Amino acid sequence: MKKTSINLLILFAFLCIFGCNKKENQSKTQAQPMENIQVSDYGVTSKGDSIKKYTLTNKNGMKLEVINFGGIITSLTAPDKKGKYEDVVLGFTKPEDYFNGNPYYFGALIGRYGNRIANAKFTLDGKSYDIDKNDGPNSLHGGKEGFHTKFWNIEPLKDTKFPTLKLTYTSADGEEGYPGKLTTTVFYTLTDDNALEISYEAETDKPAVVNLTQHSYFNLSGNFSKTILDHELQINADKFLPVNETLIPTGEQKAVKGSPFDFTVSKPIGKDINADDDQLKKGKGYDHNWILNGSGLRSIAKVYHPESGRVMEVLTDEPGVQFYSGNFLDGKFDAKTGGKNELRTGLCLETQHFPDSPNQPNFPSTELKPGQKYHSKTIYKFSVKK
Ligand code: GLA
């Protein structure tokens, strides 16, 4: 072989090896979406904790913003029918409003017990426990210093298919009156099909009760000074749980058929919300738990906003969902898009076990024993209908 041919061969081999390496590097980069998670300073709490904000971006440009105070989702964008991405979750304009109480639980992780426990007490294994009474006679959302007020450790995960945050918080035995040291892990993943996936895990060292959820308020119009009464909602539930004056389930499991609580066929939220109905009066609107049909991870609800074309589908493996129509929003805080967070400008679909389960033996159990692992998964998936 001539010298030039040998040189050419060497050059070809070199190019090939270099080219292959480059390809390998590229696929590694694709498998490491760390570039899709940005960290920035968010604010400082009155206790001096400096709070960080994590911004996750998927391949379509959809963004999820989460802070390590309360595991709070401060922003989540979704496309409208023209492809315009806008924020669809309510929130405060000032960081300190999240840190100093967050009266509406905007965007927060809720624990240890999402929803109400009657008279702020329950009995477990023959022992009675008094928990924080922060909602009239009852305990709501884990007590005044529930998980929504805690500093969560956040780790952006490497080598995951989609950008994922791992949040952990260890709640001491006796915190807010609850038994058992509870180690909680929550994963937030933003997938390329525009879904926010939330997975919850927990373990305890003593018998405990657990009911974790997420308290984001959605307004698919992208304008937080508008009400959600024009949003169309469908819930796959034939029954719901009527409540007493303090919003504790009476224990009855009532058919929705023929009542304002029937969302088996999609209808505007505003259609029946002001009907002359005892349960709507007690809730000041919808603030009830629907008993979801089926079991396992399944589609349980759909919200559609006709004007923007935005659709949000909710999937969960939980037995219930609290549909709350923002009846306690009272215009005291500025909305992120201007105006105020007024009555019914946001809706919550809080996937969960039933309220007051520790006191209601006929409800699915919320007990967690040492050695068991609590698991729960919920997906909020966004799309458009033209
Ligand atoms: C839950 C409750 C409501 C209300 C909100 C927070 O969804 O069911 O009654 O307390 O939280 O304002």
Side-chain angles (χ1 to χ4, degrees), residues 126-145:
K127 260 186 101 176
S128 76
Y129 295 94
D130 288 308
I131 51 173
D132 188 50
K133 201 180 273 187
N134 62 334
D135 189 58
N138 307 320
S139 187
L140 175 68
H141 294 334
K144 187 166 183 276
E145 305 274 310

Side-chain angles (χ1 to χ4, degrees), residues 280-294:
L280 283 173
K281 281 182 194 142
K282 288 196 166 97
K284 297 185 171 55
Y286 296 108
D287 193 358
H288 297 75
N289 192 96
W290 269 252
I291 302 176
L292 298 169
N293 296 341

Side-chain angles (χ1 to χ4, degrees), residues 287-308:
D287 193 358
H288 297 75
N289 192 96
W290 269 252
I291 302 176
L292 298 169
N293 296 341
S295 60
L297 188 65
R298 64 224 187 273
S299 179
I300 60 112
K302 242 184 205 169
V303 187
Y304 168 53
H305 180 246
E307 207 183 310
S308 66

Side-chain angles (χ1 to χ4, degrees), residues 121-380:
K121 55 171 69 164
F122 62 91
T123 305
L124 184 62
D125 283 354
K127 260 186 101 176
S128 76
Y129 295 94
D130 288 308
I131 51 173
D132 188 50
K133 201 180 273 187
N134 62 334
D135 189 58
N138 307 320
S139 187
L140 175 68
H141 294 334
K144 187 166 183 276
E145 305 274 310
F147 288 8
H148 62 289
T149 68
K150 301 299 180 189
F151 185 79
W152 289 71
N153 182 57
I154 297 193
E155 185 193 340
L157 292 189
K158 289 183 187 145
D159 298 324
T160 52
K161 196 166 172 202
F162 303 116
T164 299
L165 296 179
K166 178 183 179 187
L167 295 87
T168 44
Y169 172 66
T170 300
S171 170
D173 183 13
E175 191 177 272
E176 296 297 83
Y178 285 95
K181 176 178 160 191
L182 193 77
T183 312
T184 302
T185 308
V186 178
F187 296 91
Y188 284 136
T189 298
L190 188 63
T191 70
D192 282 343
D193 61 353
N194 287 357
L196 163 63
E197 295 192 358
I198 309 172
S199 295
Y200 306 84
E201 292 173 6
E203 282 177 290
T204 182
D205 66 348
K206 270 188 194 170
V209 294
V210 191
N211 194 21
L212 305 174
T213 192
Q214 224 294 334
H215 212 298
S216 284
Y217 288 69
F218 299 95
N219 184 325
L220 302 186
S221 75
N223 179 344
F224 304 131
S225 62
K226 283 191 180 167
T227 75
I228 45 79
L229 299 176
D230 60 348
H231 288 44
E232 294 174 14
L233 173 66
Q234 189 248 324
I235 307 177
N236 294 331
D238 296 331
K239 291 181 198 157
F240 80 108
L241 295 173
V243 291
N244 70 15
E245 296 65 35
T246 67
L247 298 181
I248 296 291
T250 59
E252 185 195 355
Q253 307 199 358
K254 199 170 178 190
V256 294
K257 210 170 177 179
S259 81
F261 290 79
D262 190 351
F263 283 93
T264 52
V265 175
S266 185
K267 68 174 177 188
I269 292 170
K271 184 166 179 269
D272 299 324
I273 202 167
N274 295 318
D276 185 13
D277 178 278
D278 173 56
Q279 280 300 312
L280 283 173
K281 281 182 194 142
K282 288 196 166 97
K284 297 185 171 55
Y286 296 108
D287 193 358
H288 297 75
N289 192 96
W290 269 252
I291 302 176
L292 298 169
N293 296 341
S295 60
L297 188 65
R298 64 224 187 273
S299 179
I300 60 112
K302 242 184 205 169
V303 187
Y304 168 53
H305 180 246
E307 207 183 310
S308 66
R310 287 193 179 94
V311 175
M312 180 177 79
E313 183 183 8
V314 187
L315 298 93
T316 190
D317 53 11
E318 286 287 345
V321 68
Q322 183 85 5
F323 163 43
Y324 168 57
S325 53
N327 315 312
F328 295 117
L329 295 174
D330 50 8
K332 283 199 186 122
F333 292 86
D334 291 339
K336 285 189 282 182
T337 52
K340 301 274 180 191
N341 295 305
E342 302 281 0
L343 180 75
R344 297 180 182 153
T345 51
L347 70 97
C348 300
L349 287 164
E350 304 156 53
T351 55
Q352 55 189 232
H353 270 54
F354 304 167
D356 197 35
S357 297
N359 294 311
Q360 308 232 14
N362 294 331
F363 289 175
S365 173
T366 49
E367 281 180 41
L368 184 71
K369 293 192 169 66
Q372 292 179 331
K373 202 161 188 178
Y374 171 99
H375 274 287
S376 168
K377 187 167 185 168
T378 292
I379 300 171
Y380 296 98

Side-chain angles (χ1 to χ4, degrees), residues 71-114:
I72 292 169
I73 293 175
T74 56
S75 173
L76 176 67
T77 66
D80 69 2
K81 58 187 164 195
K82 293 185 191 135
K84 188 176 174 201
Y85 279 78
E86 282 177 312
D87 196 357
V88 292
V89 292
L90 270 61
F92 295 116
T93 54
K94 298 188 200 106
E96 54 270 30
D97 292 332
Y98 288 110
F99 307 155
N100 304 331
N102 188 359
Y104 312 127
Y105 302 85
F106 272 166
L109 284 178
I110 303 293
R112 309 183 175 193
Y113 199 96

